[in-house]
């Protein structure tokens, strides 16, 4: 499904790029916004459990924090370059808004808190591994 979505987005981008070529003396700017991930409702315990510090393989820290505004719960991931909102897309998976990053939180069966975070790009290529 994601492959089809990415292919459709790429096709749309190339179609809009081809039709947005300058005509005559004027120029036209077309901004193409990628498809936003479909957010899935997150259980309150997951919101609490994924927050914390995770050490990356290269020594940096991944910091996951949350913000509650009324009934809205928002999570942010910070890899050292400032916090980025992450959206729950299913099970223990999150996608960074506006970045090519996907976070998969893993926990042993006997523990409630995730102790490993696999960070990949949206194509599934490995970016980093973090441990709590």
């Amino acid at each position: 499904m994601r492959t089809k979505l990415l292919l459709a987005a790429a096709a749309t981008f190339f179609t809009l790029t081809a039709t947005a070529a300058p005509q005559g003396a004027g120029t036209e700017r077309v901004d193409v916004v990628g498809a936003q991930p479909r957010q899935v409702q997150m259980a309150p315990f997951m919101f609490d459990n994924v927050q914390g510090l995770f050490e990356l393989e290269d020594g940096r820290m991944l910091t996951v924090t949350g913000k509650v505004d009324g009934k809205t719960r928002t999570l942010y991931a910070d890899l050292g370059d400032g916090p980025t909102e992450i959206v729950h897309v299913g099970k223990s998976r999150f996608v960074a808004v506006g970045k090519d990053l996907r976070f998969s939180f893993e926990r042993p069966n006997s523990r409630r808190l995730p102790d490993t975070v696999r960070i990949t790009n949206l194509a599934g290529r490995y970016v980093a591994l973090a441990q709590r």
Side-chain angles (χ1 to χ4, degrees), residues 3 7 11 33 49 51-52 60 62 76-77 83-84 89-91 98-99 101 107 115 117 125 127 130:
T3 304
L7 289 173
V33 178
N49 290 348
Q51 293 182 56
R60 293 182 300 156
L62 164 64
Y76 298 91
T84 300
V89 292
K91 290 198 177 186
K99 289 191 177 182
L101 292 175
R107 63 182 174 90
D115 64 355
V117 181
R125 289 199 171 98
V127 174

Side-chain angles (χ1 to χ4, degrees), residues 9-24:
T12 302
F13 174 75
F14 288 117
T15 302
L16 289 175
T17 303
T19 59
Q23 297 176 359

Side-chain angles (χ1 to χ4, degrees), residues 42-114:
M42 176 178 28
F45 70 86
M46 177 167 293
F47 176 78
D48 294 332
N49 290 348
V50 298
Q51 293 182 56
L53 296 172
F54 298 86
E55 185 175 356
L56 294 170
E57 299 164 311
D58 63 6
R60 293 182 300 156
M61 295 297 287
L62 164 64
T63 306
V64 179
T65 57
K67 178 182 171 186
V68 178
D69 185 19
K71 292 185 178 183
T72 305
R73 298 177 304 219
T74 308
L75 286 171
Y76 298 91
D78 187 351
L79 291 163
D81 57 350
T84 300
E85 182 180 351
I86 57 175
V87 177
H88 185 233
V89 292
K91 290 198 177 186
S92 297
R93 296 184 329 263
F94 294 81
V95 174
V97 175
K99 289 191 177 182
D100 185 21
L101 292 175
R102 181 171 46 190
F103 300 84
S104 178
F105 291 83
E106 301 170 0
R107 63 182 174 90
N109 293 334
S110 62
R111 295 186 62 197
R112 208 170 165 172
L113 293 176

Side-chain angles (χ1 to χ4, degrees), residues 16 20 28-32:
L16 289 175
E28 181 180 344
R29 178 183 168 154
V30 175
D31 292 324
V32 178

